[in-house]
Amino acid sequence: MIPVYLFLGFLEAGKTAFVQETLEDPEFNTGEKTLLVVCEEGVEEYEPERFAGGNVTQLLVEDPDDITPEFLRSNASKVYADRVLIEYNGMWPVQKLLDSLPVNWEIYQIMTVADSTTFPTYLANMRQQTVDKLQSPDVVIFNRCDKSTDKTLLHRSVRMVNRRAQILFEYKDGSIEPDDTKDPLPYDLNAPVAEIKDEDYGIFYLDVFDRMKEYEGKTVRLKAYVCQTDKVDDDAFIAGRFCMTCCAEDITFIGLICKWKDAKQLGHRTWVNVTARIELRRHAIYEGVGPWLIAESVTPAEPPKDELVYFV
């Protein structure tokens, strides 16, 4: 297998500098034959003479249609590549690349590099392309940070589509700070019953998965859409909402398993008010342990004013 390291981000976000530093690191670059696939040309250029260990061959790709398994395999074979690093174009769909990797190429790590000063603008004006670069990385690095950086916005932007990625903040002096953002909750989790407002469902959904242990045993009240599915037992349904992560074409249902004795009597695609205690249980839907709503009451409800959930 040929390991692949994929670097995502938009033009001038700092990808080239990050890859340059990576290849200068003698602990990473110990002389392996490396194919560096560059999919966009920015202001900054690589300085191969500074690469530790040498043996790095650059391949410029200017057209996404050129990226095919045959093209990648052929160029890797020419240099007997032991591994591949790809600096990907921020405007090209990530899935296009993933679908084009040769069968013996294995993704080892995906990293997204983002300029914290321009990221909010990209998110507002190019939401689909921005979300695309946040869904798959193992690590997201927001660089060029300072005291005015809205780390909560950056944190939520990642967490709305990717709960597993490590988030790092790099400051202008080169120092790096791990993400320890604690989202200010718009509800009191320590109240006898935490009231989740309709507009706060997205925050609740992200936070309950991020901090499951802190929700265990808590009681919440929320409005949810009923999804009847044979993936759960007859005494359960999925209580959730539809969310829009990037565009109208990318609307997804997000929900929690809700255990209720009369679950199958509820109409599919109806709205209900749920008061429930949260327990952590294992289920295939969660691919492991996840939060369950153990309902104390489920009553009919009117749809919320805005039926869609928005995270940021």
Side-chain angles (χ1 to χ4, degrees):
M1 301 298 292
I2 294 181
V4 177
Y5 299 84
L6 176 57
F7 300 85
L8 306 175
F10 290 103
L11 188 66
E12 309 306 331
K15 295 194 303 296
T16 300
F18 187 83
V19 177
Q20 175 77 37
E21 293 173 4
T22 300
L23 289 171
E24 287 180 17
D25 184 351
E27 293 187 7
F28 177 83
N29 195 4
T30 59
E32 298 90 339
K33 296 182 180 68
T34 301
L35 177 65
L36 173 58
V37 181
V38 182
C39 298
E40 63 183 0
E41 290 186 286
V43 174
E44 192 162 352
E45 297 183 354
Y46 286 103
E47 300 179 58
E49 68 278 3
R50 295 174 55 187
F51 293 159
N55 287 331
V56 178
T57 301
Q58 292 186 54
L59 171 65
L60 178 62
V61 179
E62 298 179 308
D63 188 336
D65 291 335
D66 289 340
I67 300 179
T68 65
E70 295 75 18
F71 174 80
L72 295 173
R73 187 185 302 109
S74 172
N75 281 279
S77 297
K78 289 177 183 178
V79 297
Y80 302 97
D82 297 313
R83 64 183 178 182
V84 176
L85 275 65
I86 302 176
E87 181 189 345
Y88 200 54
N89 190 304
M91 300 304 296
W92 299 353
V94 175
Q95 196 60 47
K96 168 68 170 68
L97 172 66
L98 298 179
D99 291 341
S100 301
L101 295 180
V103 293
N104 66 322
W105 288 26
E106 182 177 356
I107 294 287
Y108 264 39
Q109 190 173 47
I110 302 178
M111 306 188 73
T112 290
V113 180
D115 183 341
S116 64
T117 64
T118 60
F119 178 84
T121 301
Y122 276 112
L123 185 63
N125 300 308
M126 299 172 58
R127 193 177 184 88
Q128 186 169 4
Q129 292 92 331
T130 305
V131 169
D132 182 53
K133 307 305 176 291
L134 299 176
Q135 290 176 319
S136 54
D138 307 292
V139 180
V140 178
I141 300 174
F142 290 105
N143 56 31
R144 300 162 190 163
C145 295
D146 57 29
K147 292 182 179 180
S148 66
T149 300
D150 187 349
K151 293 190 291 184
T152 298
L153 170 65
L154 303 181
H155 167 90
R156 286 185 181 171
S157 300
V158 176
R159 287 292 176 254
M160 71 178 178
V161 291
N162 187 332
R163 295 199 303 270
R164 64 179 177 78
Q166 179 184 10
I167 303 173
L168 300 173
F169 301 108
E170 182 180 3
Y171 287 82
K172 295 177 180 178
D173 63 2
S175 61
I176 294 178
E177 179 181 289
D179 176 36
D180 59 357
T181 303
K182 295 187 182 300
D183 294 326
L185 297 177
Y187 48 85
D188 184 2
L189 189 57
N190 293 317
V193 178
E195 299 282 352
I196 312 300
K197 296 179 181 178
D198 295 344
E199 61 270 25
D200 296 330
Y201 181 87
I203 294 173
F204 163 73
Y205 181 81
L206 293 179
D207 203 57
V208 73
F209 278 99
D210 276 349
R211 304 187 301 138
M212 288 192 291
K213 285 290 186 181
E214 296 185 36
Y215 279 79
E216 188 174 16
K218 304 293 185 180
T219 299
V220 299
R221 182 178 294 123
L222 53 84
K223 183 178 292 183
Y225 187 83
V226 175
C227 174
Q228 296 284 11
T229 172
D230 57 8
K231 293 182 180 179
V232 297
D233 294 336
D234 288 345
D235 63 346
F237 66 99
I238 306 298
R241 298 278 298 275
F242 283 97
C243 74
M244 186 170 73
T245 54
C246 63
C247 59
E249 290 73 30
D250 190 20
I251 293 176
T252 306
F253 185 76
I254 56 173
L256 307 180
I257 299 173
C258 183
K259 189 175 179 63
W260 174 241
K261 56 184 176 60
D262 298 322
K264 291 310 173 188
Q265 297 180 24
L266 299 173
H268 182 51
R269 299 183 178 180
T270 59
W271 289 92
V272 292
N273 287 317
V274 177
T275 301
R277 184 182 73 260
I278 296 177
E279 293 187 4
L280 303 184
R281 298 185 181 184
R282 187 174 299 276
H283 197 279
I285 285 178
Y286 296 137
E287 298 181 350
V289 174
W292 287 52
L293 298 174
I294 309 302
E296 298 173 0
S297 71
V298 178
T299 58
E302 292 297 317
K305 184 177 180 181
D306 190 341
E307 296 189 16
L308 284 177
V309 169
Y310 308 90
F311 289 103
V312 291

